[in-house]
């Protein structure tokens, strides 16, 4: 099965700083790479995703970069705000299984 | 458009009992998946249903089961509850479950086994 590692497990930044979370996966058949945000008391919500034929995707302050050769993809958040504080999960999905494997999560804390 | 609805939100059960959780997917979504979330193990896949058939199953014991009805609503059942079953159970729906599909999650059911 897919082995997924997500780093760091906790990330503390000051408001306005940038944050980067990295996800490493093992299955070379993975072809869909989403990032989910989970706020306290809520279920995870997709914030950005990328497919295997694209190297980078941006949506306002959020971006995802993919390195298929090295089997990792990263979430980049610029100009962080207190409302960005949450747990972020990567969930690479293999074309063979159709089921995402979630990373262990990164707790992002943005200090005002 | 209503989101994924899970009921109940909170449950307290005694060890050895059984429990049934319910999930109503987004209208038009035919795939429903269930996950168990714990601090120690993170988000773990339980099973996925599509058009009333279980298409995928995670590595959980047979005490965990589910089903999907013709209106795509899904239930999961846990029998002979153990303390270790205490967790947040999340349901996710998608239009068609493929590797390239966003999963829409409900708020979860918090199960506490005492």
């Amino acid at each position: 099965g897919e082995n997924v590692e997500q780093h760091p497990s906790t990330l503390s930044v000051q408001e306005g700083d940038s944050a980067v979370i990295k996800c490493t996966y093992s299955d070379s058949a993975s072809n869909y790479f989403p990032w989910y945000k989970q706020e306290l008391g809520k279920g995870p919500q997709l914030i950005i995703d990328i497919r295997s034929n694209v190297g980078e995707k941006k949506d306002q302050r959020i971006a995802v970069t993919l390195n298929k050769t090295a089997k990792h993809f990263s979430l980049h958040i610029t100009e962080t705000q207190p409302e960005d504080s949450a747990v972020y999960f990567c969930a690479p999905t293999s074309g063979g299984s159709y089921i995402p494997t979630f990373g262990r999560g990164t707790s992002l804390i943005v200090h005002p | 458009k209503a989101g994924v609805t899970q009921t109940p939100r909170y449950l307290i059960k005694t060890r050895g009992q059984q429990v049934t959780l319910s999930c109503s997917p987004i209208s038009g979504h035919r795939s429903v998946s269930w996950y168990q979330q714990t601090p120690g193990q993170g988000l773990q896949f339980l099973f996925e249903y599509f058009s009333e058939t279980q298409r995928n199953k995670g590595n959980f014991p047979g005490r965990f089961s589910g089903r999907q009805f013709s209106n795509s609503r899904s239930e999961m059942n846990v029998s002979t509850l153990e303390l270790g079953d205490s967790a947040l159970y999340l349901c996710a729906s998608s239009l068609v479950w493929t590797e390239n599909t966003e999963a829409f999650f409900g708020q979860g059911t918090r199960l506490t086994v005492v």
Side-chain angles (χ1 to χ4, degrees):
Chain A
E2 174 92 273
N3 288 320
V4 178
E5 290 190 6
Q6 190 176 330
H7 295 283
S9 57
T10 306
L11 181 56
S12 185
V13 300
Q14 288 295 128
E15 183 177 358
D17 287 350
S18 294
V20 181
I21 304 170
K22 184 177 178 179
C23 182
T24 305
Y25 60 95
S26 63
D27 190 347
S28 55
S30 292
N31 58 10
Y32 177 57
F33 307 94
W35 284 95
Y36 287 85
K37 175 184 180 182
Q38 186 174 25
E39 297 175 326
L40 207 60
K42 297 184 178 180
Q45 182 178 14
L46 181 80
I47 54 171
I48 195 165
D49 58 9
I50 195 168
R51 305 183 194 286
S52 58
N53 58 344
V54 177
E56 183 175 356
K57 183 177 178 181
K58 202 171 181 180
D59 182 5
Q60 297 181 6
R61 297 186 298 109
I62 295 172
V64 55
T65 57
L66 171 65
N67 185 328
K68 280 215 79 177
T69 304
K71 295 183 196 167
H72 65 74
F73 61 113
S74 297
L75 174 68
H76 304 256
I77 305 174
T78 59
E79 300 172 28
T80 53
Q81 301 167 3
E83 51 266 38
D84 294 329
S85 296
V87 180
Y88 292 82
F89 295 94
C90 64
T93 311
S94 171
S97 73
Y98 304 114
I99 300 298
T101 301
F102 282 81
R104 297 297 293 269
T106 296
S107 178
L108 173 64
I109 303 164
V110 181
H111 299 280
Chain B
K1 191 174 185 182
V4 177
T5 304
Q6 291 188 246
T7 56
R9 289 292 311 277
Y10 303 93
L11 262 180
I12 299 176
K13 288 288 188 178
T14 303
R15 197 169 39 178
Q17 286 186 313
Q18 73 149 13
V19 67
T20 299
L21 313 182
S22 180
C23 172
S24 293
I26 291 172
S27 177
H29 286 196
R30 296 169 64 190
S31 170
V32 175
S33 292
W34 290 89
Y35 290 82
Q36 181 194 65
Q37 186 174 28
T38 59
Q41 299 297 320
L43 267 159
Q44 291 190 290
F45 171 72
L46 281 155
F47 28 66
E48 183 248 349
Y49 287 86
F50 179 78
S51 293
E52 301 178 66
T53 301
Q54 185 182 89
R55 287 201 306 186
N56 291 284
K57 191 176 190 305
N59 295 324
F60 278 82
R63 300 185 297 107
F64 292 81
S65 63
R67 59 177 176 169
Q68 186 180 33
F69 302 95
S70 58
N71 62 358
S72 292
R73 190 177 72 84
S74 178
E75 289 181 347
M76 70 163 279
N77 184 78
V78 188
S79 62
T80 321
L81 283 165
E82 300 176 0
L83 296 179
D85 297 332
S86 295
L88 179 67
Y89 289 88
L90 291 161
C91 163
S93 78
S94 61
L95 202 52
V96 174
W97 193 274
T98 70
E99 69 272 31
N100 288 337
T101 303
E102 175 182 358
F104 293 83
F105 284 85
Q107 289 187 289
T109 293
R110 172 75 61 185
L111 171 65
T112 302
V113 182
V114 297

